[in-house]
């Protein structure tokens, strides 16, 4: 039997200590049930999963040569949620791929509402030299791409806030990674689900797990106080 990435994660998880294991998944085809089972059974693998969807339209996924469809993607998400109920799921979305119709874009919004991602990394398609997509005739005008992107962000931001709000009042384990990039006076850390938490801390917190009570939840960050 081939020793694969899931086996590697399971072996790393056996190492004693207080730590999170995080990884980036590059493609839904790599998100095997075995990998999800390992996450569910582990002590250290963070309950977060990056599963790039790119589009909610089967026609666009085929044009992108992604080798999966909506049904297969949703089956992975559903299994993940069944085995790891508190998992946070993030994704990559591309808006305005050549040939994307209004119906194709609506299918992407529909998938956002169905999956309810905790966060997405969204990009407007721009032609890259010497790629098959750049040579396609059916390029989308910039004005339509911009309008679709705005609608996508509006939809996702609403979902992200709805997902974060229930965390208010909860006590979470946060790994402090230093001062906030946007505010020198506060420290920043990440929950197991990779959500950003901002709090009043000091230099001794950096690199350590801190227990934080969440006092306020916003779309892109949580705010809390040390316990």
């Amino acid at each position: 039997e081939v020793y694969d990435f899931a086996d590697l994660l399971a072996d790393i998880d056996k190492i004693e200590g207080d730590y999170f294991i995080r990884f980036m998944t590059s493609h839904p085809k790599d998100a095997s049930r075995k990998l999800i089972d390992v996450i569910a059974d582990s002590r250290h693998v963070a309950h977060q999963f990056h599963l790039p969807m790119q589009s909610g339209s089967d026609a666009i996924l085929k044009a992108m040569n992604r080798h999966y469809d909506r049904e297969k993607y949703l089956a992975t998400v559903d299994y993940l949620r069944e085995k790891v109920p508190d998992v946070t799921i993030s994704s990559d979305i591309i808006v305005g791929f050549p040939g994307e119709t209004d119906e194709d874009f609506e299918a992407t919004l529909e998938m956002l509402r169905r999956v309810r991602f905790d966060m997405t990394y969204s990009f407007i398609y721009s032609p890259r030299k010497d790629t098959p997509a750049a040579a396609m005739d059916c390029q989308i005008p910039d004005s339509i791409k911009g309008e679709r992107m705005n609608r996508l962000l509006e939809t996702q931001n609403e979902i992200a806030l709805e997902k974060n709000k229930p965390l208010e009042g909860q006590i979470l384990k946060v790994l402090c990674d230093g001062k906030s990039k946007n505010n020198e006076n506060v420290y920043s850390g990440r929950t197991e689900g990779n959500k950003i938490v901002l709090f009043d801390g000091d230099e001794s917190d950096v690199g350590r797990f801190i227990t934080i009570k969440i006092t306020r939840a916003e779309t892109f960050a949580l705010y809390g106080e040390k316990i």
Side-chain angles (χ1 to χ4, degrees):
E1 195 180 320
V2 177
Y3 183 93
D4 63 12
F5 181 64
D7 296 316
L8 175 64
L9 274 189
D11 279 347
I12 296 172
D13 184 57
K14 292 172 188 166
I15 299 168
E16 291 304 320
D18 195 14
Y19 60 92
F20 290 143
I21 300 170
R22 298 193 193 279
F23 66 92
M24 292 295 281
T25 173
S26 56
H27 200 291
K29 70 177 169 50
D30 301 321
S32 66
R33 292 198 163 203
K34 178 182 173 182
L35 175 62
I36 292 167
D37 290 343
V38 166
I39 295 170
D41 296 337
S42 71
R43 295 175 300 162
H44 300 104
V45 182
H47 287 184
Q48 66 157 115
F49 211 91
H50 186 68
L51 196 63
M53 184 176 79
Q54 308 299 6
S55 172
S57 158
D58 284 347
I60 295 299
L61 290 172
K62 194 171 181 183
M64 288 176 170
N65 202 25
R66 292 291 291 177
H67 300 291
Y68 58 87
D69 57 16
R70 285 165 61 99
E71 192 181 344
K72 193 173 176 191
Y73 188 91
L74 286 172
T76 301
V77 168
D78 290 344
Y79 189 74
L80 187 53
R81 289 237 162 95
E82 179 194 327
K83 300 295 285 191
V84 192
D86 65 341
V87 70
T88 63
I89 303 178
S90 57
S91 194
D92 297 337
I93 313 280
I94 291 175
V95 170
F97 191 82
E100 182 184 71
T101 64
D102 288 341
E103 289 76 19
D104 292 324
F105 176 67
E106 289 298 337
T108 296
L109 292 184
E110 188 191 313
M111 284 288 274
L112 252 61
R113 297 186 192 106
R114 163 74 167 78
V115 177
R116 293 180 62 78
F117 297 108
D118 289 85
M119 58 200 90
T120 60
Y121 303 90
S122 308
F123 308 91
I124 290 178
Y125 170 80
S126 57
R128 282 192 188 160
K129 195 177 172 221
D130 298 328
T131 59
M136 291 177 182
D137 295 333
C138 40
Q139 302 293 326
I140 308 295
D142 288 347
S143 59
I144 292 176
K145 287 195 278 195
E147 185 191 331
R148 286 179 185 169
M149 184 63 153
N150 289 339
R151 286 183 62 204
L152 182 89
L153 293 176
E154 198 177 298
T155 303
Q156 176 54 35
N157 290 349
E158 275 176 28
I159 293 166
L161 185 58
E162 285 167 13
K163 303 251 339 186
N164 284 346
K165 275 290 177 190
L167 296 172
E168 289 182 347
Q170 287 199 21
I171 290 165
L172 301 179
K173 177 180 174 180
V174 173
L175 181 60
C176 178
D177 48 21
K179 288 185 177 180
S180 162
K181 293 188 180 81
N182 302 324
N183 184 347
E184 279 266 306
N185 301 318
V186 297
Y187 280 76
S188 173
R190 296 205 178 238
T191 66
E192 181 179 1
N194 212 26
K195 292 181 188 265
I196 294 170
V197 180
L198 301 169
F199 61 95
D200 287 329
D202 55 60
E203 204 57 39
S204 67
D205 295 330
V206 180
R208 292 174 51 228
F209 284 110
I210 312 294
T211 306
I212 304 277
K213 182 175 183 180
I214 303 303
T215 54
R216 179 163 55 98
E218 293 194 355
T219 306
F220 302 109
L222 307 169
Y223 296 80
E225 51 198 32
K226 285 203 293 186
I227 289 181

